[in-house]
Amino acid sequence: MEFVLDTADISAIKEYDELLNLAGVTTNPTIITKSGKKPEEVIKELVDYLRLDQKLFIQSVSTDFDGIMEEARYICGLRPENTYVKIPVTREGLKAIKAAKAEGLNVLATAIYSADEAFLAALNGADYLAPYVNRMCNYGDGVGQTIDLINMLAAQGVESKVIAASFKSVEQVHELIAAGIQAVTVQPDVVKQMVDHPGTEIAVDEFTENWNKAYGRKTLR
Ligand code: E4P
């Protein structure tokens, strides 16, 4: 199971890369604009920082077939391996996913709002499918649709992996991991909530306090 960080913030990437086993990083155009830096600069930071066994996912910005294909080739050529173009599942995007796979590029189908559009992208060969779990909740049950998608792929023997995205709560991540999802991409604020449970801090403070009271020190020896 792959745990991916959904950010272009290099300091957050370094922080969680030290703490966790990160399988890679996803970005989208909005995430990159939030850095306040030029896109080329952000992309270079990501390429320079990530190990080659960590996956890098960068989204195309053009919305027409030729533009998406040109950007897909550029993105996938940024590193020798494990670099994926994220292509939104519009009509032009679906066409581009099919063509990009025919060229042997690594593709993540993104901006997915239903299990059905994800399934069509899977039939076009997308390596990963990114349902926007929280955004899907505006139209129904985002978690439920994503579980349907996992089941549809398994029932039909289609090999695309689901990388659920757009989480706004730990509960959403939890439910999909429990359902057997292959990958999640989670924003640093939600990862922080998973990592920093207040109960753990309280428990450790209590151990230290009791030890200190009994032995007059805060270390084992
Ligand atoms: C993945 O990289 C998606 O683009 C991202 O999770 C979308 O998140 P948002 O719904 O918070 O914009």
Side-chain angles (χ1 to χ4, degrees), residues 6 26-28 31 59 86 110 132 135 165-168 185 187:
D6 196 19
T26 49
T27 69
N28 66 32
I31 288 174
Q59 194 164 319
K86 295 175 66 192
T110 194
Y132 277 13
R135 295 195 199 195
S166 178
F167 287 109
K168 288 294 164 284
T185 183
Q187 292 158 10

mmCIF file of all heavy atoms in Angstrom, residues 6 26-28 31 59 86 110 132 135 165-168 185 187, ligand 1:
data_model
loop_
_atom_site.group_PDB
_atom_site.id
_atom_site.type_symbol
_atom_site.label_atom_id
_atom_site.label_comp_id
_atom_site.label_asym_id
_atom_site.label_seq_id
_atom_site.Cartn_x
_atom_site.Cartn_y
_atom_site.Cartn_z
ATOM 1 N N ASP A 6 0.436 14.830 -0.638
ATOM 2 C CA ASP A 6 -0.239 15.661 -1.636
ATOM 3 C C ASP A 6 0.153 17.125 -1.431
ATOM 4 O O ASP A 6 -0.604 17.910 -0.852
ATOM 5 C CB ASP A 6 -1.759 15.465 -1.449
ATOM 6 C CG ASP A 6 -2.571 15.944 -2.634
ATOM 7 O OD1 ASP A 6 -2.008 16.095 -3.727
ATOM 8 O OD2 ASP A 6 -3.786 16.157 -2.466
ATOM 9 N N THR A 26 2.308 13.939 -4.871
ATOM 10 C CA THR A 26 1.410 14.392 -5.938
ATOM 11 C C THR A 26 1.287 15.915 -5.876
ATOM 12 O O THR A 26 1.307 16.494 -4.788
ATOM 13 C CB THR A 26 -0.014 13.806 -5.795
ATOM 14 O OG1 THR A 26 -0.461 13.994 -4.453
ATOM 15 C CG2 THR A 26 -0.074 12.347 -6.143
ATOM 16 N N THR A 27 1.141 16.509 -7.033
ATOM 17 C CA THR A 27 0.838 17.944 -7.080
ATOM 18 C C THR A 27 -0.289 18.138 -8.080
ATOM 19 O O THR A 27 -0.653 17.206 -8.810
ATOM 20 C CB THR A 27 2.047 18.773 -7.567
ATOM 21 O OG1 THR A 27 2.262 18.473 -8.958
ATOM 22 C CG2 THR A 27 3.307 18.457 -6.795
ATOM 23 N N ASN A 28 -0.854 19.326 -8.074
ATOM 24 C CA ASN A 28 -1.748 19.725 -9.166
ATOM 25 C C ASN A 28 -1.468 21.200 -9.430
ATOM 26 O O ASN A 28 -0.703 21.819 -8.675
ATOM 27 C CB ASN A 28 -3.220 19.407 -8.830
ATOM 28 C CG ASN A 28 -3.763 20.213 -7.667
ATOM 29 O OD1 ASN A 28 -3.367 21.360 -7.451
ATOM 30 N ND2 ASN A 28 -4.661 19.622 -6.894
ATOM 31 N N ILE A 31 -1.979 23.414 -6.341
ATOM 32 C CA ILE A 31 -0.966 23.153 -5.303
ATOM 33 C C ILE A 31 0.336 23.878 -5.669
ATOM 34 O O ILE A 31 0.986 24.474 -4.817
ATOM 35 C CB ILE A 31 -0.731 21.625 -5.149
ATOM 36 C CG1 ILE A 31 -1.942 20.976 -4.468
ATOM 37 C CG2 ILE A 31 0.552 21.329 -4.385
ATOM 38 C CD1 ILE A 31 -1.888 19.446 -4.400
ATOM 39 N N GLN A 59 0.754 17.333 -12.836
ATOM 40 C CA GLN A 59 -0.431 17.403 -13.692
ATOM 41 C C GLN A 59 -0.193 18.264 -14.935
ATOM 42 O O GLN A 59 0.498 19.290 -14.863
ATOM 43 C CB GLN A 59 -1.585 17.988 -12.867
ATOM 44 C CG GLN A 59 -2.940 17.808 -13.522
ATOM 45 C CD GLN A 59 -4.059 18.045 -12.535
ATOM 46 O OE1 GLN A 59 -3.966 17.620 -11.376
ATOM 47 N NE2 GLN A 59 -5.104 18.716 -12.962
ATOM 48 N N LYS A 86 -0.292 13.515 -14.553
ATOM 49 C CA LYS A 86 -1.690 13.444 -14.111
ATOM 50 C C LYS A 86 -2.537 14.100 -15.192
ATOM 51 O O LYS A 86 -2.295 15.252 -15.567
ATOM 52 C CB LYS A 86 -1.872 14.201 -12.797
ATOM 53 C CG LYS A 86 -1.122 13.581 -11.623
ATOM 54 C CD LYS A 86 -1.251 14.457 -10.389
ATOM 55 C CE LYS A 86 -2.684 14.511 -9.889
ATOM 56 N NZ LYS A 86 -2.873 15.562 -8.872
ATOM 57 N N THR A 110 -6.878 11.853 -13.307
ATOM 58 C CA THR A 110 -7.231 12.653 -12.128
ATOM 59 C C THR A 110 -8.516 13.444 -12.327
ATOM 60 O O THR A 110 -9.167 13.348 -13.365
ATOM 61 C CB THR A 110 -6.044 13.585 -11.760
ATOM 62 O OG1 THR A 110 -6.257 14.113 -10.463
ATOM 63 C CG2 THR A 110 -5.880 14.727 -12.755
ATOM 64 N N TYR A 132 -11.523 12.065 -6.284
ATOM 65 C CA TYR A 132 -11.448 13.218 -5.373
ATOM 66 C C TYR A 132 -12.453 13.006 -4.253
ATOM 67 O O TYR A 132 -13.569 13.541 -4.284
ATOM 68 C CB TYR A 132 -11.764 14.492 -6.152
ATOM 69 C CG TYR A 132 -10.595 15.090 -6.912
ATOM 70 C CD1 TYR A 132 -9.418 14.382 -7.118
ATOM 71 C CD2 TYR A 132 -10.690 16.392 -7.410
ATOM 72 C CE1 TYR A 132 -8.363 14.948 -7.806
ATOM 73 C CE2 TYR A 132 -9.633 16.966 -8.095
ATOM 74 C CZ TYR A 132 -8.478 16.246 -8.293
ATOM 75 O OH TYR A 132 -7.429 16.819 -8.972
ATOM 76 N N ARG A 135 -14.328 15.976 -2.456
ATOM 77 C CA ARG A 135 -15.147 16.737 -3.420
ATOM 78 C C ARG A 135 -16.328 15.899 -3.886
ATOM 79 O O ARG A 135 -17.409 16.433 -4.161
ATOM 80 C CB ARG A 135 -14.305 17.143 -4.625
ATOM 81 C CG ARG A 135 -13.184 18.101 -4.299
ATOM 82 C CD ARG A 135 -12.693 18.695 -5.585
ATOM 83 N NE ARG A 135 -11.384 19.272 -5.478
ATOM 84 C CZ ARG A 135 -10.878 20.102 -6.392
ATOM 85 N NH1 ARG A 135 -11.582 20.420 -7.459
ATOM 86 N NH2 ARG A 135 -9.676 20.588 -6.262
ATOM 87 N N ALA A 165 -7.641 10.674 -3.448
ATOM 88 C CA ALA A 165 -7.090 12.011 -3.225
ATOM 89 C C ALA A 165 -8.169 12.926 -2.658
ATOM 90 O O ALA A 165 -9.306 12.500 -2.446
ATOM 91 C CB ALA A 165 -6.565 12.565 -4.547
ATOM 92 N N SER A 166 -7.774 14.179 -2.433
ATOM 93 C CA SER A 166 -8.713 15.194 -1.954
ATOM 94 C C SER A 166 -9.384 14.783 -0.643
ATOM 95 O O SER A 166 -10.606 14.768 -0.540
ATOM 96 C CB SER A 166 -9.771 15.456 -3.043
ATOM 97 O OG SER A 166 -10.728 16.394 -2.617
ATOM 98 N N PHE A 167 -8.546 14.465 0.333
ATOM 99 C CA PHE A 167 -9.082 14.105 1.647
ATOM 100 C C PHE A 167 -9.204 15.353 2.512
ATOM 101 O O PHE A 167 -8.347 16.223 2.473
ATOM 102 C CB PHE A 167 -8.124 13.139 2.356
ATOM 103 C CG PHE A 167 -8.130 11.759 1.778
ATOM 104 C CD1 PHE A 167 -7.042 11.293 1.046
ATOM 105 C CD2 PHE A 167 -9.217 10.921 1.960
ATOM 106 C CE1 PHE A 167 -7.033 10.011 0.526
ATOM 107 C CE2 PHE A 167 -9.216 9.628 1.439
ATOM 108 C CZ PHE A 167 -8.124 9.178 0.715
ATOM 109 N N LYS A 168 -10.248 15.381 3.310
ATOM 110 C CA LYS A 168 -10.359 16.469 4.278
ATOM 111 C C LYS A 168 -10.427 15.952 5.708
ATOM 112 O O LYS A 168 -10.510 16.733 6.637
ATOM 113 C CB LYS A 168 -11.593 17.350 3.969
ATOM 114 C CG LYS A 168 -11.428 18.209 2.741
ATOM 115 C CD LYS A 168 -10.347 19.293 2.900
ATOM 116 C CE LYS A 168 -9.905 19.896 1.581
ATOM 117 N NZ LYS A 168 -9.010 19.057 0.780
ATOM 118 N N THR A 185 -3.232 9.659 -1.411
ATOM 119 C CA THR A 185 -2.379 10.843 -1.367
ATOM 120 C C THR A 185 -3.051 11.836 -0.438
ATOM 121 O O THR A 185 -4.215 12.190 -0.617
ATOM 122 C CB THR A 185 -2.079 11.414 -2.763
ATOM 123 O OG1 THR A 185 -1.187 12.530 -2.595
ATOM 124 C CG2 THR A 185 -3.299 11.821 -3.550
ATOM 125 N N GLN A 187 -2.919 15.357 2.116
ATOM 126 C CA GLN A 187 -2.309 16.668 2.324
ATOM 127 C C GLN A 187 -1.681 16.737 3.714
ATOM 128 O O GLN A 187 -2.160 16.087 4.651
ATOM 129 C CB GLN A 187 -3.377 17.756 2.148
ATOM 130 C CG GLN A 187 -3.825 17.843 0.700
ATOM 131 C CD GLN A 187 -5.184 18.479 0.494
ATOM 132 O OE1 GLN A 187 -5.756 19.035 1.424
ATOM 133 N NE2 GLN A 187 -5.705 18.384 -0.715
HETATM 134 C C1 E4P B 1 -4.352 15.140 -5.952
HETATM 135 O O1 E4P B 1 -3.217 15.513 -6.147
HETATM 136 C C2 E4P B 1 -5.508 16.045 -6.084
HETATM 137 O O2 E4P B 1 -5.253 16.971 -7.090
HETATM 138 C C3 E4P B 1 -5.791 16.748 -4.785
HETATM 139 O O3 E4P B 1 -5.858 15.807 -3.736
HETATM 140 C C4 E4P B 1 -7.064 17.580 -4.827
HETATM 141 O O4 E4P B 1 -7.288 18.106 -3.548
HETATM 142 P P1 E4P B 1 -8.361 19.235 -3.234
HETATM 143 O O5 E4P B 1 -9.725 18.656 -3.418
HETATM 144 O O6 E4P B 1 -8.104 19.628 -1.813
HETATM 145 O O7 E4P B 1 -8.112 20.369 -4.176
#
